[in-house]
Amino acid sequence: MTFDKVTKMLNDTYIRKNHDYGNSFDQSIDKFGLVASAVRLSDKLNRFSTLITKKAKVNDEAIEDTVLDMANYAIMTYLYIKNHENNNRNITRAKSNKYKKRFNKRDYSHS
């Protein structure tokens, strides 16, 4: 396996899922800010942690699939930021006070 093959797989997966789900990722960020991406990445990281600590009961959810999903979400977040940086300087903030308050209550420091 090479880096080029993996990035081709990521792109193929992105195209398939975007076809099936529509552009729900960008729509979520438009509505809630980048916290939407943080939640999705956090969910995948939690799934990864679970998979490496115990055998999954769902056979089709391999560690590799979860890591590739995380990579795609990270790339999609990067693309969203780059494609919107001139239009909206506040994309890094939660879009509504309701979600902003909930997000800010958590400690996300990396001390």
Side-chain angles (χ1 to χ4, degrees), residues 25-33 36 80 84 88 91 95:
F25 185 79
D26 281 7
Q27 291 167 0
S28 295
I29 296 176
D30 287 341
K31 186 172 182 179
F32 303 113
Y80 185 93
H84 292 82
N88 186 353
I91 61 172
K95 296 294 184 180

Side-chain angles (χ1 to χ4, degrees), residues 62-108:
I63 292 171
E64 293 87 355
D65 294 334
T66 301
V67 172
L68 291 174
D69 282 346
M70 288 173 61
N72 256 344
Y73 279 132
I75 293 167
M76 291 162 62
T77 302
Y78 174 81
L79 289 171
Y80 185 93
I81 292 168
K82 295 311 274 181
N83 290 332
H84 292 82
E85 65 188 355
N86 292 328
N87 298 335
N88 186 353
R89 297 283 180 199
N90 295 319
I91 61 172
T92 58
R93 296 190 178 98
K95 296 294 184 180
S96 76
N97 287 333
K98 174 182 174 185
Y99 296 100
K100 185 176 181 179
K101 287 177 187 173
R102 186 179 307 159
F103 186 71
N104 287 336
K105 285 182 183 176
R106 294 176 176 86
D107 179 15
Y108 291 98

